[in-house]
Amino acid sequence: MQARLLLEDGTLFTGLGFGAEGVSTGEVVFNTGITGYQEVLSDPSYCGQIVTMTFPLIGNYGINRDDFESIRPYIHGFVVRRHEPVPSNWRAQYTLDRLLKEYGIIGISDIDTRMLTRILRRHGTMKGILTTGSERVEELRERLDASPLLRDQVARTSTKQVFSSPGRGERIVLIDYGAKSGILRELTQRGCDVVVVPHNVTADEIRRLHPDGIQLSNGPGDPKDVPHAVETVRQLLGEYPIFGICLGHQIFALACGADTEKLKFGHRGGNHPVKELATGRCYITSQNHGYTVKEDSIQGTELTVTHINNNDKTIEGLKHNRYPAFSVQYHPEAAPGPFDSSYLFDQFLEMIRDHKRNNPERPRQAQLAETLRGELQYAQK
């Protein structure tokens, strides 16, 4: 089956199709990871994007149930140099081709992904259209021009209902902007009582859950497309310890008065070096984002830069100067990628404990009763 990828600058790639048949548009991006294609496919932060893998062999270890980072993939297309239809791995349960067919995702292989990546690095990410049909190039160009990029990715990927992962430790409200399972996994492994809420949750609804801390998740798209999320975080600053990851980092920055901008081609992969300014230590991190906090916008806010990217010097971490709140642009939960930065979850919990020591709780019995009432009201709503 032939497949074609047309970029908005007119570049046309012709290769072999796998997965679903049809036509799909999206923002064409690239990921530099050597392994972890299943986690990339199932990362909600790729919603609306056509993902190019720079590593040349994809599909060789198949697909399994345990490595998903969300219930389903949200990408709009998958581009590889070589697709391996017959996996060889004891954990494999089915093939990459079957996964893409199940979710209606078009794949294209046998094209020069190195050339495609160089184009994106030189000119920046751009719209593309992927097809397995026989449409004329002129028809594809017209359809591509008429197809705007998605602006509602957070609403598409966020949970629609409140749910909990019970634990006996600190209660964490995880605001789901398109959260990876790895964040929930890291919190529950530490015994946290996690309540996951939708992206459009209000500050009052969170207060009724009486959290010990608030986790702002990763997610897709432009943080300025979710002004309600920014306002919610702004209202909660200073009341509860806050930890933001990726999109949550950008929303935290906007809530504190900083600004964000789009990167030329983004950071996507499991090998990005980040420098911690306080210690000078370098961490190798997993990243997936197309926006960054503008450095000059930090002036005049109560934020301090804590981490920078060693490659392009963009901001990778922030902390609030008065309130117990911090954020990072990268993924400490990894999946895929190194676990160098998982200590940040421990740092978050220690921040919560310090905050509780400095702000003595009300009698535990009264607090539990009010918490149960708040949960019941929120569930009924």
Side-chain angles (χ1 to χ4, degrees):
M1 179 175 63
Q2 184 187 76
R4 290 173 294 163
L5 172 65
L6 177 67
L7 303 181
E8 63 179 306
D9 69 352
T11 305
L12 178 67
F13 294 88
T14 301
L16 299 178
F18 64 100
E21 299 181 29
V23 182
S24 182
T25 60
E27 182 183 31
V28 184
V29 301
F30 64 88
N31 182 290
T32 58
I34 295 176
T35 63
Y37 59 80
Q38 181 173 321
E39 291 92 331
V40 169
L41 283 164
S42 57
D43 183 349
S45 295
Y46 285 110
C47 178
Q49 295 179 328
I50 297 173
V51 181
T52 304
M53 300 299 294
T54 61
F55 189 72
L57 178 60
I58 302 296
N60 54 317
Y61 56 84
I63 300 293
N64 67 77
R65 184 190 64 184
D66 298 332
D67 289 341
F68 274 91
E69 284 300 306
S70 63
I71 296 298
R72 55 153 300 158
Y74 292 93
I75 68 169
H76 279 199
F78 202 43
V79 183
V80 303
R81 176 68 184 92
R82 176 184 168 188
H83 163 236
E84 177 53 64
V86 182
S88 177
N89 187 280
W90 66 273
R91 299 177 70 227
Q93 295 173 307
Y94 51 99
T95 66
L96 172 60
D97 179 67
R98 174 182 159 185
L99 175 71
L100 298 189
K101 281 186 169 69
E102 286 180 351
Y103 291 101
I105 300 168
I106 303 170
I108 182 173
S109 68
D110 290 75
I111 70 167
D112 190 342
T113 51
R114 179 179 173 84
M115 175 184 173
L116 173 56
T117 301
R118 288 172 66 91
I119 290 173
L120 298 178
R121 284 184 60 89
R122 185 179 303 117
H123 301 292
T125 57
M126 61 184 80
K127 284 197 302 182
I129 185 166
L130 188 56
T131 180
T132 58
S134 57
E135 303 93 341
R136 293 183 297 112
V137 173
E138 292 76 14
E139 295 175 2
L140 292 176
R141 185 174 291 113
E142 290 177 2
R143 182 163 179 173
L144 179 60
D145 292 341
S147 302
L149 294 175
L150 297 181
R151 303 301 295 269
D152 63 343
Q153 300 102 308
V154 170
R156 289 173 180 245
T157 57
S158 173
T159 182
K160 303 299 187 291
Q161 297 181 336
V162 181
F163 67 93
S164 67
S165 178
R168 295 184 178 275
E170 288 78 6
R171 166 165 288 188
I172 308 298
V173 167
L174 170 58
I175 306 181
D176 178 8
Y177 305 123
K180 292 169 59 185
S181 298
I183 297 177
L184 181 60
R185 184 167 56 245
E186 290 289 338
L187 293 172
T188 54
Q189 284 177 351
R190 289 164 172 80
C192 295
D193 179 26
V194 185
V195 181
V196 184
V197 297
H199 69 99
N200 54 358
V201 65
T202 67
D204 284 340
E205 288 169 337
I206 289 178
R207 292 184 182 109
R208 285 199 291 270
L209 295 173
H210 295 282
D212 296 311
I214 299 171
Q215 178 83 65
L216 312 178
S217 84
N218 66 292
D222 185 343
K224 294 178 181 177
D225 288 340
V226 285
H228 57 278
V230 176
E231 180 58 30
T232 295
V233 173
R234 182 181 293 120
Q235 293 179 34
L236 294 170
L237 274 170
E239 291 187 40
Y240 307 98
I242 295 175
F243 175 24
I245 293 174
C246 200
L247 182 66
H249 158 83
Q250 298 159 12
I251 290 172
F252 169 64
L254 291 173
C256 294
D259 196 11
T260 58
E261 63 183 348
K262 189 169 185 178
L263 291 166
K264 184 176 181 180
F265 49 80
H267 301 160
R268 298 175 180 89
N271 56 351
H272 291 263
V274 167
K275 181 180 180 180
E276 184 179 50
L277 298 181
T279 63
R281 182 175 179 179
C282 180
Y283 295 91
I284 303 301
T285 67
S286 176
Q287 301 199 10
N288 175 17
H289 60 273
Y291 291 81
T292 186
V293 178
K294 296 173 67 174
E295 183 178 5
D296 58 5
S297 74
I298 298 298
Q299 299 177 6
T301 70
E302 295 186 276
L303 296 173
T304 295
V305 177
T306 58
H307 298 75
I308 61 170
N309 189 290
N310 272 355
N311 289 332
D312 60 11
K313 309 307 177 185
T314 53
I315 292 174
E316 294 280 1
L318 296 167
K319 70 175 181 179
H320 201 282
N321 296 334
R322 283 196 299 137
Y323 301 140
F326 71 102
S327 63
V328 292
Q329 181 64 82
Y330 50 94
H331 289 263
E333 81 284 355
F339 290 94
D340 295 27
S341 302
S342 61
Y343 73 93
L344 290 172
F345 292 99
D346 299 313
Q347 183 176 306
F348 178 41
L349 294 181
E350 188 56 40
M351 174 183 285
I352 290 172
R353 291 161 190 154
D354 286 343
H355 181 73
K356 292 170 71 175
R357 281 192 290 268
N358 295 329
N359 299 272
E361 293 183 308
R362 293 167 294 167
R364 186 65 175 168
Q365 188 175 9
Q367 183 188 14
L368 285 175
E370 190 171 344
T371 296
L372 290 172
R373 285 197 298 272
E375 288 179 346
L376 179 59
Q377 292 171 359
Y378 194 20
Q380 290 173 338
K381 178 180 179 181

